[in-house]
Amino acid sequence: MANIGIDEAAFFGIVSLALFYGIFFTLFCLAVYVLLNPMGGRRMNIPFLVSTVLFFCLITLYFIVRWMRAYIAFITFSRETAGGAIAFLSEVSEWHVATSTSLWAVTGALADLMLIYRLWLVWDRSYYVVILPLIMCLGSLVTVFAVVYEVSHAELTTTYATAITNWATSFLSLGLAQNTLVTGLIVLKIWKVNVGVRGQTSSVSSLWPVMAVLLESGSLYSSSVMITLITYVTQNNGSAVMTDVVVPIIGITFMLIIVRVGLGFSKTRSNAMASNQNYPSRSGAPGIMSSRRAPPNQGSTTGLESGVDSDYPLHDIRVTLEREVIHEFGSDKEPSVLKSKEGDADSI
């Protein structure tokens, strides 16, 4: 793989950071709108609103610190130092590096915790399913802050020193494995619910749109981390570009789920629920199907016009189908990413 100069990597990294930050900022505004204006009478989801604001603060601080470092490298040092930008960018122990790495760690930890929170909600608030992801999240924090320690306390001139490489590789590998595991478990649970509901009746909408959103968002983050890991292990300076890109992508994946589910799947759910037929019953309640003896026809003495044998009187049969989808950004009940259930009540 062709390598690029450290100054070129810093330049392309800061340009890419600006581009992805713009995308993140747009999605952040949309996510705040969705969270502050819940649809269908659902209540506001405070945990996701708070985490959204925290994401904005952390990623914005990261953006400012990286641009400060780029300004010093390409403007100040280029004028005052013989080595120019390369001399400044080679100082790995410079405080901007430790600060930006710490912000990356906190942002990644927040994203991991919110993903684990989604997992906990989807699996009916089971604590057993989140034990392993929480351990992996803690391991990621330990490894990344070990990187920060090595960077800030050692006189290094390269990011590929052995003291950093081992910890950084462990951090990226744990983050990739955890994201894959948690996303897979969430999709697995939704798939099981979808199969169970669709197997009982065909009158409910599919949950594939939700699974598609989760898979796409998880794939976006996983692919960026994988590319970062590959470029770092091969000691390619392109890892500096990917490092700047990954942080806003963390926020983008989080906002995408809120925006796409809030503005897209909610409409799909509303249309699907509106398309279900409501059959009249003796009580007049919607969603209740009643099979009863047809009123007598003046021109009929056999009663066969109703489709049944009139010699055998029929009792009322009532079938109630209930399907509920609760989105992660709030409902009348406790907030949840997704709950889908079908209850059949037959009384004869």
Side-chain angles (χ1 to χ4, degrees):
M1 182 181 295
N3 206 346
I4 58 178
I6 188 174
D7 53 343
E8 296 174 319
F11 174 78
F12 288 118
I14 200 66
V15 171
S16 301
L17 174 60
L19 174 62
F20 281 91
Y21 181 82
I23 299 173
F24 162 76
F25 182 78
T26 303
L27 291 174
F28 165 75
C29 295
L30 291 174
V32 170
Y33 171 79
V34 170
L35 292 170
L36 292 178
N37 299 275
M39 299 181 180
R42 294 184 296 269
R43 67 182 183 183
M44 186 183 305
N45 192 311
I46 300 301
F48 280 95
L49 180 60
V50 172
S51 61
T52 298
V53 175
L54 287 177
F55 271 118
F56 175 76
C57 295
L58 291 170
I59 296 175
T60 301
L61 284 175
Y62 182 87
F63 178 82
I64 293 173
V65 171
R66 297 302 290 180
W67 270 92
M68 287 175 59
R69 186 167 188 261
Y71 178 84
I72 295 174
F74 293 108
I75 304 300
T76 305
F77 262 68
S78 295
R79 295 175 179 176
E80 300 177 357
T81 308
I86 296 179
F88 177 78
L89 294 172
S90 299
E91 293 293 333
V92 181
S93 58
E94 199 269 330
W95 72 270
H96 293 91
V97 179
T99 303
S100 59
T101 304
S102 300
L103 289 171
W104 185 18
V106 176
T107 304
L110 178 60
D112 292 340
L113 290 175
M114 294 310 300
L115 189 61
I116 294 173
Y117 176 64
R118 283 191 175 107
L119 175 67
W120 178 69
L121 292 175
V122 168
W123 282 83
D124 299 326
R125 292 172 170 80
S126 173
Y127 291 96
Y128 297 102
V129 75
V130 299
I131 293 177
L132 180 58
L134 285 174
I135 294 176
M136 297 175 71
C137 180
L138 180 61
S140 297
L141 281 176
V142 171
T143 55
V144 74
F145 281 113
V147 173
V148 174
Y149 176 84
E150 293 293 342
V151 166
S152 58
H153 289 79
E155 295 181 359
L156 303 172
T157 57
T158 175
T159 57
Y160 304 113
T162 304
I164 298 179
T165 301
N166 295 334
W167 288 112
T169 303
S170 301
F171 165 68
L172 294 172
S173 300
L174 279 173
L176 180 61
Q178 179 194 338
N179 182 78
T180 304
L181 173 64
V182 176
T183 303
L185 288 174
I186 293 175
V187 172
L188 174 63
K189 180 64 174 181
I190 297 176
W191 176 79
K192 290 173 62 178
V193 172
N194 187 60
V195 170
V197 172
R198 300 283 291 183
Q200 297 179 25
T201 178
S202 60
S203 63
V204 295
S205 59
S206 174
L207 301 180
W208 278 109
V210 178
M211 288 184 279
V213 170
L214 293 171
L215 286 174
E216 290 171 5
S217 300
S219 299
L220 177 62
Y221 175 72
S222 297
S223 59
S224 61
V225 173
M226 183 177 296
I227 295 174
T228 305
L229 179 61
I230 293 174
T231 53
Y232 193 85
V233 170
T234 57
Q235 298 188 4
N236 190 294
N237 288 330
S239 61
V241 180
M242 291 306 304
T243 299
D244 284 333
V245 167
V246 166
V247 176
I249 284 181
I250 294 174
I252 289 172
T253 54
F254 181 80
M255 305 302 167
L256 267 178
I257 297 177
I258 296 178
V259 172
R260 291 188 61 183
V261 175
L263 299 181
F265 183 70
S266 291
K267 296 179 180 179
T268 303
R269 171 184 176 270
S270 299
N271 295 336
M273 296 295 289
S275 65
N276 290 339
Q277 296 181 355
N278 292 330
Y279 298 91
S281 66
R282 182 167 51 189
S283 62
I288 298 178
M289 296 179 291
S290 177
S291 175
R292 59 200 313 188
R293 190 184 187 92
N297 193 320
Q298 293 179 356
S300 174
T301 58
T302 62
L304 294 177
E305 289 80 5
S306 63
V308 295
D309 189 352
S310 60
D311 293 335
Y312 298 93
L314 297 180
H315 298 280
D316 288 340
I317 300 177
R318 185 175 62 184
V319 179
T320 302
L321 299 178
E322 178 185 3
R323 182 173 185 269
E324 179 182 6
V325 177
I326 304 176
H327 297 295
E328 64 184 4
F329 22 81
S331 67
D332 295 333
K333 301 180 181 180
E334 295 184 2
S336 174
V337 176
L338 178 68
K339 284 188 178 179
S340 180
K341 63 181 181 180
E342 177 124 1
D344 298 340
D346 300 345
S347 59
I348 300 179

